[in-house]
Amino acid sequence: MKQLWFGGKIYTMEKEYETVESVLVQDDKIIAVGDIQELENQADEKINLHGATMYPGFVDSHLHIIWHGEKLIRLDLSKARSCEEMLEMVQEAAKRTPTDQWLFGEGWNENNFPDRRIPTIQELDAIRKEPIVLNRICLHQSLVNSSALEFAGITEQTANPFGGEIGKDQFGKLNGRLLEKAKELLDVSIPKEGEAYIDYLENAMELAIKDMHSKGLTGAHSEDMSYFGHYSNPLTAYRRVIGKKRHFRVHLLRHVKVFEEMMKDGVDFDEPFIDPGAMKMFADGALGGSTAALSEPYADNSNNNGMFIYTDQQLEEYVQLARKYQSAVAIHTIGDAAAEQMIQAIEKYPVPKGQRDRLIHACVLREDLVKRLQQLPVILDIQPAFVPSDFPWVMERLGDERLEWAYAWRKLMDNGLICANGTDTPIEDVDPIKTIYAAVERKKPGEDHDGYLPDEKLTRFEAVQLYTLGSAKAICKEDERGLIKLGYDADFTIFDRDLFDGTSEEMLNAKVVKTVVAGNVVYSND
């Protein structure tokens, strides 16, 4: 059956503000674009946009789908504006949580608290004797009670793992905070197996995808394979949810902890709806918890340069492992020292021809590092929403001298580096409109200033294109996805208004009319 889409503004996103009058789709591909009079006689079905505006399908280039689903299920602490309010939310959740279940909370951020005070382990112990696990918004730090520590076998004598820290107070007592690799000591002790657990993952995934469809997302690049027990658990959930419905396109990064096992097992994927992705690693932590690796000490803590997750030798060995299997790498690098460590490794062991390595986040760089990146087949996976979330407190943490290359999306693109738009959901809101606003305005909606580091603003066209063509380039599929063009996938995101018209604040009111994957309407606000 041939469908003709017409009756609204249709942006190809190939050239700035280029539009076509209609699009002809057969099965899951675009077979023609052009004047409606030339194409309407070929159509078996005509779909009138009634003045809505259509774009190529929006794809989030970096998030965690199952974690997003869990955030929709679990206690959401992201709205807490004080330590006391956070404790009240946990106390109320404890009343609703059966004693045979763990209490999980997500998204707390002490930088939103007036005094930046983090709850103590004693305060959590007073709320509940059963395990409490509260993950910081960056997911690089957890706050837990004594029961959770006991369950994980963590005592005052437990040594810090390399790349992690078990928090202690000034008297050497456990304070309930687990940073970076120390979180794994607890994570591995939580049971994650059985059919009931896979059902739970399916439910979380269904909720996440339903939410993403409603925001106009037709696909995402997700990293979930190493956090939910054996990799077969999340992979089975993906096959059952997406493999059956074929209503979303997911590109799965594979964490270094499970990468080789998956390669040796010869795992089958369900392309083009479930694609295998690069090998994922973490080079450092996050700026919020002062664990991002910096070449010079933090401006607000001269004794701290952050934290490397691996030694130089270990990181190079993992890059070699990826190359052994002809794979690219995708490395979380927030600080400039972590970026330098990554660049050094991929310069030494180049990516296979036809692929691109991925530098995830790229929050703090230096001019010398950018020049080296220009010589490499690499994509920068940026999160514009980090700007309104991290500023102004991050200016105090980094200091004035580092700000020139901090969150420097404009300069990175002007230097010819390929970028893609992601949210790192559940770290940031999955709504693409909010990310586009952040890229263009570099502030929270409603704030009365010109934006943080305003010279780094992107145009609205650029910000939208990073969701379409940019995300396609991240996985070297720019010849089949990311544009409305002959031969491309029939994935569309349709809004009730033109995102390029009016003010940025007016754009925030845009609503998704339809989300289309492979020519099928998977979401309609009707």
Side-chain angles (χ1 to χ4, degrees), residues 77-94:
L77 297 170
S78 62
K79 300 296 188 294
R81 290 297 175 262
S82 70
C83 179
E84 290 69 28
E85 183 179 359
M86 175 177 165
L87 287 168
E88 289 174 5
M89 295 169 72
V90 176
Q91 192 163 27
E92 287 301 312

Side-chain angles (χ1 to χ4, degrees), residues 495-507:
F495 290 97
D496 65 351
R497 67 186 66 205
D498 187 338
L499 301 183
F500 304 136
D501 283 348
T503 66
S504 297
E505 281 66 29
E506 289 170 336
M507 180 193 68

Side-chain angles (χ1 to χ4, degrees), residues 255-308:
H255 194 281
V256 64
K257 290 191 295 184
V258 300
F259 176 79
E260 187 166 31
E261 183 182 5
M262 294 183 74
M263 297 301 296
K264 287 181 176 179
D265 288 350
V267 172
D268 290 325
F269 294 85
D270 192 359
E271 300 179 69
F273 295 93
I274 304 175
D275 294 338
M279 187 177 82
K280 166 74 184 293
M281 290 178 283
F282 286 83
D284 65 347
L287 290 167
S290 299
T291 55
L294 301 177
S295 55
E296 299 293 335
Y298 280 83
D300 60 353
N301 184 351
S302 60
N303 296 316
N304 180 29
N305 282 62
M307 187 180 295
F308 287 106

Side-chain angles (χ1 to χ4, degrees), residues 306-325:
M307 187 180 295
F308 287 106
I309 302 300
Y310 303 112
T311 64
D312 290 350
Q313 181 178 345
Q314 287 173 325
L315 189 73
E316 288 188 5
E317 288 174 354
Y318 284 136
V319 172
Q320 286 180 280
L321 173 65
R323 305 313 193 216
K324 173 183 174 182
Y325 292 99

Side-chain angles (χ1 to χ4, degrees), residues 222-274:
S222 188
E223 199 248 307
D224 309 277
M225 292 293 102
S226 68
Y227 307 111
F228 306 98
H230 192 266
Y231 76 77
S232 61
N233 291 337
L235 187 59
T236 298
Y238 270 113
R239 286 170 173 161
R240 291 179 182 177
V241 175
I242 296 177
K244 288 182 180 179
K245 296 184 178 181
R246 303 171 77 83
H247 63 331
F248 195 77
R249 299 187 193 271
V250 64
H251 183 84
L252 294 177
L253 300 181
R254 294 166 286 181
H255 194 281
V256 64
K257 290 191 295 184
V258 300
F259 176 79
E260 187 166 31
E261 183 182 5
M262 294 183 74
M263 297 301 296
K264 287 181 176 179
D265 288 350
V267 172
D268 290 325
F269 294 85
D270 192 359
E271 300 179 69
F273 295 93
I274 304 175

